[in-house]
Amino acid sequence: MITVFTTMLRGMLRDMHTLFWTIAFPVLLLLGLGLYFQQPAYSVKLLGGILAMNVLFGATMVTAFNVMSHRNRGVYKLLRATPFSTSAFVAAMTAARTALSLIVSAVTIAAARLILGVSLSPLSLLLMLVVLLIGTVCFTAIGFIAANLSRDESNVNMISNLISFPMLFTSEAFYSLQQAPAWIQIFGSLQPFHYFVQAMNLALDPIGSLPQFGISMLILALFTVICLGAAVLTFRWDNEAPARRNSAATMSGDPS
């Protein structure tokens, strides 16, 4: 499992597409908007939104494409001949994505501190670490689900977009939904990114909001457990296999 984890993490760090869209782009977006508006309160809000958005797209969309790429190249068919279980493979890939997400978040926070002057307390940094860990696992699992429901690259692009963009637009990552129609607020409260953004914003200013932070994290953790279970149960080794599998066989890694 450690070998799979390190191999995947090295592959992500060597991929120029991943490096640009998951590291360079969020930092450039943060600095561009932060320097343009130059408002301390907005810079803090912007930092939370950029970190959340980067985890959403990096974990969900990039994972979906990576899973599809591995499947098309026959990587999973090779794994199928080994005793390596599906749950262990999903866990290793999720851990690699989580490690990359923490590296990117550290770079983004450092850029916000050095160039925009955003100052975070040790408690804020600790809570943000917890939010990033749980959130990355949750959205990586959603990326697996998007890939498991897809037959080819066009499918995975469409399905991951249909999942990611509605979650972003019905959240408060960059704006308030207080004046939005009720159905948008209701839809937002039924998806995990809403609670991820809420927990991230509370972590940035935790004084007096720890109980609400705990509730948001509890709901996000429940979404994470559900999504991980769905990712394992729908996992398939090749594009011709059905997405729905026998749960006992899937958990044990038995392809039959």
Side-chain angles (χ1 to χ4, degrees):
M1 184 170 174
I2 294 176
T3 302
V4 175
F5 165 78
T6 54
T7 301
M8 289 184 174
L9 184 58
R10 287 198 199 101
M12 293 175 187
L13 292 174
R14 290 172 180 168
D15 182 61
M16 293 304 297
H17 182 271
T18 299
L19 290 177
F20 175 78
W21 287 108
T22 62
I23 297 180
F25 180 73
V27 172
L28 292 174
L29 183 62
L30 172 73
L31 298 182
L33 292 175
L35 292 174
Y36 179 78
F37 290 102
Q38 294 191 351
Q39 298 176 4
Y42 177 74
S43 294
V44 175
K45 173 73 175 175
L46 180 64
L47 173 61
I50 293 291
L51 291 175
M53 183 190 71
N54 193 50
V55 169
L56 173 66
F57 288 111
T60 302
M61 300 183 73
V62 178
T63 296
F65 278 100
N66 285 342
V67 172
M68 177 61 68
S69 174
H70 291 159
R71 185 181 297 144
N72 288 343
R73 286 187 296 165
V75 173
Y76 297 150
K77 288 184 178 179
L78 294 177
L79 281 172
R80 193 177 184 181
T82 74
F84 202 68
S85 70
T86 302
S87 55
F89 181 79
V90 172
M93 190 162 182
T94 301
R97 172 56 56 185
T98 302
L100 178 63
S101 176
L102 292 180
I103 293 171
V104 174
S105 298
V107 172
T108 307
I109 292 171
R113 175 71 181 92
L114 294 174
I115 301 178
L116 301 182
V118 174
S119 179
L120 299 172
S121 68
L123 178 59
S124 287
L125 292 173
L126 177 61
L127 296 179
M128 290 170 67
L129 175 62
V130 175
V131 176
L132 289 169
L133 282 172
I134 303 298
T136 303
V137 173
C138 180
F139 296 109
T140 300
I142 292 175
F144 266 98
I145 296 170
N148 296 341
L149 297 175
S150 306
R151 291 286 182 182
D152 51 40
E153 287 80 0
S154 58
N155 268 175
V156 79
N157 183 49
M158 179 186 66
I159 292 175
S160 57
N161 282 337
L162 287 175
I163 293 174
S164 302
F165 281 103
M167 287 200 290
L168 177 65
F169 293 146
T170 58
S171 75
E172 295 190 323
F174 295 104
Y175 45 76
S176 172
L177 292 179
Q178 289 183 353
Q179 303 302 319
W183 68 270
I184 292 181
Q185 298 184 37
I186 293 172
F187 180 85
S189 67
L190 297 176
Q191 49 97 356
F193 192 64
H194 168 81
Y195 298 97
F196 180 59
V197 171
Q198 191 175 68
M200 180 64 74
N201 288 334
L202 292 171
L204 287 167
D205 186 16
I207 304 302
S209 58
L210 287 179
Q212 189 177 355
F213 174 82
I215 294 173
S216 298
M217 287 304 301
L218 177 61
I219 297 174
L220 180 62
L222 289 174
F223 271 113
T224 302
V225 171
I226 294 171
C227 292
L228 277 174
V232 173
L233 292 175
T234 60
F235 185 85
R236 55 187 180 187
W237 303 96
D238 56 62
N239 291 334
E240 301 305 320
R244 186 182 296 277
R245 294 169 55 86
N246 178 279
S247 59
T250 303
M251 293 300 293
S252 66
D254 183 358
S256 60

